[in-house]
Amino acid sequence: MPTEIAPRDRLIVALDLPGVAEAEAMIARLGEAVTFYKIGMELTYAGGLGLAGRLAAEGKHVFMDLKLHDIPTTVERATRQIARLGARFLTVHGFSQSMTAALAGAAGSSLELLAVTVMTSYDDDDLAAAGYAMGVKELVARRAVQAREIGIHGLILSPEETQLVRPLVGPDMQLVTPGIRPAGSDVGDQKRIMTPRLAIAGGADRLVVGRPVTGAADPAAAAESIVADIAGAVPLVDKTNRA
């Protein structure tokens, strides 16, 4: 796990908001408390591509969470368009064809690709209902190894799977975890969750947090609290991973 990442840069705030105006208002409220933002499908379809470009131009890090999965030519061309925005991260589903095509689209750019292993709203029963013959941990491990072999930069996975996956992918692959809920927060639609401190101590490199920050009475204070939690956990990383 790269311990040189600043604690503030480990927090990615999800702008899961209905429009650009709401997102810009939230960004203004957060100010310097947040350096990294995630723009997902909802905001993208509401005009978020322009916002992504503006944030990147202002020196913020941008994570485009679009979970690309289509025929290879479409994935490659879509990835090339996102790379032109100046985004830092882009998600692609962890299927071999899609990952390979996305890498071709990102070639020559600074865009880093994150493969989605298994959505954090899924559990073993959900995979069985979808026709998979394996459970969450087995499928996560399989897709992690495939992503490493293809050359993907990082993975999206539940914080429950970071210690399982790290030995499979080595120290340089970034592990980015949604499903983060500070103690006492509403779980929402997530099924595989963890607190920020435990997630970082368990080997996650960056944490994606949405409603616990954007839904707080004081979003900047909520973000600062999570950054402090992360900072307190970083010294525990090596100890936890040797256990």
Side-chain angles (χ1 to χ4, degrees), residues 113-196:
L113 301 174
L114 305 176
V116 178
T117 53
V118 176
M119 303 281 284
T120 53
S121 60
Y122 293 178
D123 58 19
D124 289 346
D125 290 340
D126 295 313
L127 290 182
Y132 285 89
M134 60 186 75
V136 167
K137 292 188 184 302
E138 186 179 356
L139 184 56
V140 167
R142 179 176 179 177
R143 288 180 169 170
V145 170
Q146 289 176 331
R148 182 205 68 204
E149 292 173 345
I150 289 169
I152 296 295
H153 306 91
L155 300 170
I156 299 288
L157 70 170
S158 158
E160 293 182 2
E161 285 101 47
T162 53
Q163 288 184 288
L164 165 71
V165 164
R166 180 60 77 191
L168 301 177
V169 300
D172 297 326
M173 205 168 189
Q174 292 215 47
L175 303 185
V176 180
T177 59
I180 301 300
R181 293 291 185 271
S185 296
D186 179 35
V187 169
D189 54 6
Q190 304 286 359
K191 293 183 178 178
R192 298 173 2 257
I193 64 171
M194 194 172 288
T195 65

Side-chain angles (χ1 to χ4, degrees), residues 25-56:
M26 180 56 61
I27 292 164
R29 292 184 70 186
L30 289 166
E32 298 304 311
V34 174
T35 59
F36 216 136
Y37 287 101
K38 179 180 83 74
I39 296 177
M41 286 188 283
E42 179 186 14
L43 186 54
T44 295
Y45 296 148
L49 290 179
L51 175 62
R54 292 194 297 276
L55 283 172

Side-chain angles (χ1 to χ4, degrees), residues 1-24:
M1 175 183 178
T3 54
E4 68 276 7
I5 303 173
R8 194 172 305 281
D9 291 340
R10 293 179 184 272
L11 171 63
I12 303 174
V13 171
L15 294 172
D16 295 331
L17 299 165
V20 171
E22 292 90 342
E24 289 178 333

Side-chain angles (χ1 to χ4, degrees), residues 69-72 75 92-103 150:
H69 182 46
D70 208 310
I71 64 172
V75 171
V92 58
H93 272 294
F95 292 84
S96 296
Q97 278 193 351
S98 292
M99 290 189 288
T100 301
L103 270 180
I150 289 169

Side-chain angles (χ1 to χ4, degrees), residues 203-217:
D205 294 309
R206 301 183 196 266
L207 311 180
V208 180
V209 185
R211 286 164 285 188
V213 171
T214 60

